[in-house]
């Protein structure tokens, strides 16, 4: 049985596949608390809204900064915020990156689609 993820506000099926779900214990620089993270999503079911803030933010000890560039994920039918896109997914290349730097700023990383658990209603497919 596969899970079906719907928007809690309007009940719209977001068409999120459990085959693209990262394991719960997978480490991300921006954390993974109270969220579900997907490697890819159906972009026809959601809309994206760029957010650019200049103020301090602290997600985890290793993921903080002054300027935050991230993208909001919103339900296409009701506009409710359901998550964010982060750039701390798995590395897109092998090796230690340019000049031997290790953080995600130097190594190109795949996007991670991080959905808030409270924004999703999880049902099972029968």
């Amino acid at each position: 049985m596969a899970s079906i993820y719907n928007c809690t506000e309007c009940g719209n099926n977001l068409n999120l596949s459990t085959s693209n779900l990262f394991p719960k214990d997978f480490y991300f620089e921006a954390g993974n608390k109270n969220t579900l993270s997907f490697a890819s999503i159906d972009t026809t079911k959601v809309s994206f809204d760029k957010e650019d803030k200049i103020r301090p933010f602290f997600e985890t000890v290793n993921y903080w900064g002054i300027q935050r560039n991230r993208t909001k994920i919103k339900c296409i039918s009701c506009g409710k915020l359901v998550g964010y896109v982060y750039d701390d997914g798995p590395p897109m290349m092998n090796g230690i990156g340019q000049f031997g730097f290790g953080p995600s700023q130097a190594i190109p990383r795949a996007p991670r689609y991080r959905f808030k658990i409270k924004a999703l209603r999880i049902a099972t497919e029968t």
Side-chain angles (χ1 to χ4, degrees):
M1 267 192 286
S3 296
I4 298 173
Y5 299 94
N6 299 323
C7 174
T8 56
E9 191 74 22
C10 65
N12 182 33
N13 182 0
L14 297 174
N15 200 21
L16 300 172
S17 174
T18 53
S19 63
N20 295 324
L21 190 62
F22 284 108
K24 290 184 186 261
D25 60 347
F26 199 90
Y27 173 77
F28 294 106
E29 288 178 3
N32 207 23
K33 187 176 180 182
N34 296 325
T35 60
L36 293 172
S37 296
F38 292 86
S40 63
I41 60 172
D42 182 3
T43 57
T44 61
K45 300 289 187 171
V46 295
S47 64
F48 298 100
D49 185 20
K50 293 244 181 221
E51 177 183 58
D52 188 13
K53 290 183 179 178
I54 298 179
R55 71 175 201 201
F57 69 92
F58 302 93
E59 293 279 344
T60 64
V61 173
N62 296 325
Y63 194 79
W64 60 275
I66 301 297
Q67 184 175 7
R68 171 177 279 175
N69 296 321
R70 66 180 178 182
T71 305
K72 294 179 179 180
I73 304 172
K74 296 183 177 181
C75 176
I76 196 91
S77 63
C78 68
K80 180 183 170 97
L81 177 67
V82 292
Y84 296 96
V85 180
Y86 286 90
D87 63 347
D88 65 349
M92 294 171 61
M93 60 180 252
N94 293 332
I96 56 173
Q98 185 179 14
F99 307 119
F101 294 119
S104 61
Q105 289 80 10
I107 297 175
R109 294 189 177 256
R112 173 175 63 116
Y113 302 93
R114 181 179 173 186
F115 286 83
K116 300 186 292 183
I117 290 177
K118 290 182 178 180
L120 300 176
R121 185 174 349 135
I122 302 169
T124 55
E125 189 177 86
T126 56

